[in-house]
Amino acid sequence: ESDRNAAYHMYPVADPHDGKIYIDDFVWRIAQPLKQGQIFKSIDGILVYDFGNHKIAPRRSEDLMSE
């Protein structure tokens, strides 16, 4: 699944409520691919439900705040 998701620029995010949510870069193209285990202080963006997946679409680099 992770290879398919990377091909579609979808990055899974750990959700404290055991739900699946992804970061998707269809609004703003993420320059460097995100790494597994990368920690963010906050993730802002447009919430989307597409092809059976919940996704957050950051609008700009400031929407991904690393720790």
Side-chain angles (χ1 to χ4, degrees), residues 48-66:
V48 178
Y49 186 76
D50 189 32
F51 292 101
N53 295 299
H54 288 96
K55 304 174 186 179
I56 299 173
R59 299 155 296 177
R60 56 188 168 271
S61 61
E62 294 83 7
D63 285 348
L64 296 173
M65 299 295 296
S66 296

Side-chain angles (χ1 to χ4, degrees), residues 25-43:
D25 66 354
F26 70 88
V27 173
W28 167 72
R29 182 66 68 190
I30 297 170
Q32 296 293 322
L34 303 178
K35 298 175 185 151
Q36 184 173 357
Q38 191 170 354
I39 298 173
F40 293 96
K41 183 177 179 179
S42 69
I43 303 171

Side-chain angles (χ1 to χ4, degrees), residues 1-12 20 22-23 53:
E1 181 180 25
S2 61
D3 291 338
R4 182 181 65 83
N5 291 339
Y8 291 111
H9 302 274
M10 289 175 35
Y11 305 94
K20 277 192 172 182
Y22 297 88
I23 296 174
N53 295 299

